[in-house]
Amino acid sequence: MLCQISNSEGPQEGKGRQGRTSSTDLDMDIAGLPSDILVEVTASIATRSATPLSDIVNLRQSCKVFRDATAARKVGRCMAVHREWRLHWWDKARFLSVLRRCATSGNPEASYILGLEEFCNRRREASGLRHLLQAMEHGHAAAAYMIGMITLHDSLRSPGGAEQALERLDCFSSAPASAGPSRTRRGMASVRREAVSVMRRLTLRRWRMAEPPTPCANPWCGKVESKTAEAWDGDGDDERWFCSRTCWWKHEYCNFIDKI
């Protein structure tokens, strides 16, 4: 336990007959540390631990100063909630409670998972999109991707919303011109894999395609250009040529639906 700081300088007077530091003295030593240092230590554990929730609970129970430190917003913001997926199956109510507390502290991953839970499982679309937007505003790429996919999914039912969907997706995929198309594809593949992974873990319901996108009139649109290890989705697909960003994103939408 972090509160049990060892004393390697040997016996000291005033520390008991055996020269041991009492628990009261230890608490006083830790209490003398600046609060921001204690919060940084606790936030580091929440970020790096393989079992962050368990470790933070144990730390909270160890002494008063760390109990106060664990209550800091920064700790909730840094909590590696994606390492606590087992709670989703063992104790979903607790898992959601942890997500809500962390999301309130500004944790983008918590907002992302909670947003998909609300949207996909609880059918609370407004609440789900609000959480996803919050995650996107904190720089969560998969949340931005999912907002784009959701908007594109809905726009296929009601033409006219496609432009809004494309704007969201273009904002997500924007990269410096110097990055090149292969870097953009690699980034897209990574984000898609993350989105697919969470969707598969979170719900057993298959997200059905609203309706197949209308085929492009250009016979060359979507045709394979070349075979490469750095293909569109990084999974061995071929590079394809598209005549417009609309066709490009519709292909990505079908690819995503197929994988979940």
Side-chain angles (χ1 to χ4, degrees), residues 135-178:
M136 184 181 71
E137 289 168 358
H138 284 86
H140 198 288
Y145 176 89
M146 281 305 306
I147 290 173
M149 289 293 105
I150 289 170
T151 310
L152 192 56
H153 179 80
D154 292 342
S155 72
L156 294 175
R157 297 176 179 173
S158 54
E163 189 64 28
Q164 181 184 8
L166 294 171
E167 289 176 1
R168 290 188 186 279
L169 287 163
D170 285 343
C171 180
F172 149 72
S173 65
S174 60
S178 60

Side-chain angles (χ1 to χ4, degrees), residues 83-245:
R83 295 180 185 150
E84 297 292 350
W85 269 109
R86 62 190 182 281
L87 273 180
H88 179 255
W89 304 109
W90 297 350
D91 191 347
K92 187 171 182 178
R94 187 186 181 199
F95 181 62
L96 293 178
S97 177
V98 170
L99 289 179
R100 291 189 183 97
R101 291 200 300 271
C102 291
T104 300
S105 297
N107 186 312
E109 183 71 9
S111 294
Y112 169 60
I113 299 173
L114 190 59
L116 291 181
E117 165 70 20
E118 291 283 290
F119 190 93
C120 298
N121 291 343
R122 297 173 180 260
R123 309 302 186 191
R124 299 171 181 171
E125 296 188 2
S127 174
L129 286 173
R130 185 171 63 252
H131 285 296
L132 289 172
L133 283 168
Q134 182 177 348
M136 184 181 71
E137 289 168 358
H138 284 86
H140 198 288
Y145 176 89
M146 281 305 306
I147 290 173
M149 289 293 105
I150 289 170
T151 310
L152 192 56
H153 179 80
D154 292 342
S155 72
L156 294 175
R157 297 176 179 173
S158 54
E163 189 64 28
Q164 181 184 8
L166 294 171
E167 289 176 1
R168 290 188 186 279
L169 287 163
D170 285 343
C171 180
F172 149 72
S173 65
S174 60
S178 60
S182 63
R183 178 175 171 182
T184 302
R185 286 193 297 273
R186 289 197 299 271
M188 181 68 69
S190 175
V191 173
R192 187 196 308 119
R193 283 194 294 269
E194 180 182 353
V196 168
S197 175
V198 172
M199 287 288 287
R200 286 176 174 174
R201 286 179 170 185
L202 201 63
T203 177
L204 296 177
R205 297 189 182 96
R206 181 176 174 82
W207 194 22
R208 297 179 179 177
M209 192 178 297
E211 62 180 69
T214 304
C216 181
N218 188 329
W220 295 103
C221 185
K223 297 296 184 182
V224 175
E225 279 194 312
S226 63
K227 295 182 181 293
T228 175
E230 295 178 348
W232 166 250
D233 67 355
D235 293 330
D237 283 4
D238 303 318
E239 284 194 40
R240 299 174 183 273
W241 177 85
F242 298 97
C243 64
S244 67
R245 63 184 183 132

Side-chain angles (χ1 to χ4, degrees), residues 59-76:
L59 195 61
R60 181 178 179 82
Q61 295 173 347
S62 64
C63 56
K64 181 180 183 302
V65 288
F66 273 119
R67 183 169 68 248
D68 294 341
T70 58
R73 285 179 59 87
K74 183 171 184 178
V75 176

